[in-house]
Amino acid sequence: MNLREAFSPPTPTIVLADNAFGMSDGKTANGVVMHSDVFSVEAVVDTERAGQTADEVLDRAGVAPVPIVESTRSALDAVPDAEAFILGVAPAGGQLPSAWREDIRRAIAAGCDVVSGLHTFLGEDEELASLAADHSVELFDVREPLADDALRVADGRVDDADAAVVLVAGSDCAVGKRTTTVELYTAARAAGLDVGWVATGQTGIMVGAHAGVAIDRVPADFTAGVVEDLVCDVAAEHDLVFVEGQAALAHRAYAGVTLSILHGAWPDAVVLAHDPDRDHRAHFERFGSTDLGHEIDCVETLSDASVAAVSSWNVPATEPVDVPVANVYDDNGPARLLDAVRRSCSEATSSAQST
C-alpha cells in the first residue's frame, strides 16, 4: 500500500492517540506526528495530555507544537478543514475499542477519510462502511491482506535491481528500526540522493513509505516474495532504497518474518538498530536479549550483506563493534549512519564487479 497515491500531501489530519501519545503503545501516533510525508497533523486527541503540545510530550528536536486536545469533537472544532483521521494506537489484540466508534463516526460525518492499522477492518464493519459511503469518504485498512494474485515465492529478481538496497534490521522488537529507516531516508534526501523506502509495518505505511505491507499479514511462504516485489518496485524509481525490518534473527518468536525480509530484500548493506540496556526481549521475559555481536553474525551468515553501522539510543553503553555507532536523534547521527551506508554499498558494488 502506498498512501501517497491516495492523499495529496500535506493532508490536514487529526490523530487519535487515546491516552497513549508519547508512549510505546502510541508509536503509530508518535511516528505520524514526527515523520509523516503525507499527513500534516493539526491536532492529537489524548485526554490525559490535553493542553500540552506534541513537541513537549515527544521531547524531540524538530517536532511541531501540535496541540493535544481532550476529544475528537474538540479536534474537529479546532481543525474544521481536516481531511484524514488516523487511529494512532494499536490496542491489545488489534480489535476496535467500542469507545472509538463514536470518534470514528464523528470524523466520518465531518468528511474525514479514516486510516486504521487495526486487525479489525473498518471496511468490513457494516455501520461504518455505510456511513463512509453516505459521506463520500474512504476507510483505509492498512493491515488488509494482499490479494492472492499478489502473492508469490521469491525468485531472486531483486538481484537485478539497479538501486542500492539497505535493510534496517534490529536486535529485538521496538528498538527503533522504523525511526532509523525514516531518519536515514530524510538524511539521504537532504544530501540530494534519489531515495525511496519500503515499510513492513502499519506505521511505516501511514508515515508515507513509497511502498509497504503489514508483513505479519502475509502467509509465510510468500513473505520474501512480497518484500522482493516491493523493493523492486521502489528500486525501479530510485537509486537508493531503504527497507524497514522487523524483530530480530535471533528472536525465537519472530525470526521467521525477520529472515524473510532479509532474504526478500537481499540488501547491499544493513544498519542494525540496538538497545543495549535490555536484559530480556521486549514483552518476552523468559527470552534473554541477544548480544549485538551475535546478531551481526546472524545477518552476515544468512545474507551476502555486511552490517555497515549500528543505530542505538545509548551509544556509550553499546558494546564495541567494528562499525560506526550513532544515535539518530543526535544532530549528526543520521549523517554518520548514512556515510557508513554509502561506504558499505560502494564496497559491495566494487566487490560484485570484481567477481
Side-chain angles (χ1 to χ4, degrees), residues 1-4 38 142-143 146 165-168 177-182 185 196-218 223 226-235 241-246 257 261 265:
M1 180 177 288
N2 180 357
L3 291 180
R4 292 170 181 264
V38 176
V142 301
R143 297 182 67 88
L146 296 172
V165 179
V166 179
L167 173 65
V168 180
K177 291 181 284 290
R178 176 187 49 78
T179 298
T180 298
T181 303
V182 177
Y185 162 73
W197 71 284
V198 173
T200 53
Q202 69 270 18
T203 304
I205 295 172
M206 295 183 194
V207 165
H210 294 86
V213 66
I215 202 68
D216 58 3
R217 302 292 296 182
V218 179
T223 304
V226 166
V227 172
E228 186 173 55
D229 277 346
L230 296 174
V231 172
C232 287
D233 288 347
V234 178
V241 180
F242 289 109
V243 182
E244 173 198 18
Q246 297 292 330
V257 71
I261 294 172

Side-chain angles (χ1 to χ4, degrees), residues 14 27 42 74 95 107 131 140 146 182 187 193 197 210 277 279 283 292 308 314 323 325:
I14 295 169
K27 67 178 183 179
E42 306 295 334
S74 298
Q95 305 303 306
L131 188 62
F140 292 89
L146 296 172
V182 177
L193 303 181
W197 71 284
H210 294 86
D277 298 327
D279 57 9
H283 307 300
L292 180 57
N314 192 344
V323 296
V325 180

Side-chain angles (χ1 to χ4, degrees), residues 276-281 285 287-289:
D277 298 327
R278 297 186 183 179
D279 57 9
H280 62 268
R281 299 282 187 189
E285 292 189 8
F287 294 166
S289 292

Side-chain angles (χ1 to χ4, degrees), residues 91-144:
Q95 305 303 306
L96 174 62
S98 59
W100 291 9
R101 296 187 71 86
E102 182 59 27
D103 294 289
I104 296 170
R105 284 194 288 262
R106 286 187 184 280
I108 291 173
C112 294
D113 295 323
V114 182
V115 184
S116 168
L118 301 178
H119 289 273
T120 299
F121 299 143
L122 303 186
E124 296 178 357
D125 185 296
E126 291 185 8
E127 180 203 9
L128 297 178
S130 176
L131 188 62
D134 290 343
H135 290 276
S136 301
V137 302
E138 294 190 55
L139 305 177
F140 292 89
D141 291 302
V142 301
R143 297 182 67 88
E144 190 169 10

Side-chain angles (χ1 to χ4, degrees), residues 41 53 102 119 161 163 189 195 234 241 262 301 325 352-353:
V41 180
T53 56
E102 182 59 27
H119 289 273
R189 193 169 59 173
V195 57
V234 178
V241 180
L262 177 67
T301 298
V325 180
Q353 291 174 344

Side-chain angles (χ1 to χ4, degrees), residues 15 21 27-36 39 41 43-44 54-55 58 62-64 66 207:
V15 172
F21 191 59
K27 67 178 183 179
T28 295
N30 306 340
V32 172
V33 168
M34 287 192 295
H35 292 131
S36 184
F39 302 108
V41 180
V44 174
D55 57 322
L58 296 176
V63 176
V66 178
V207 165

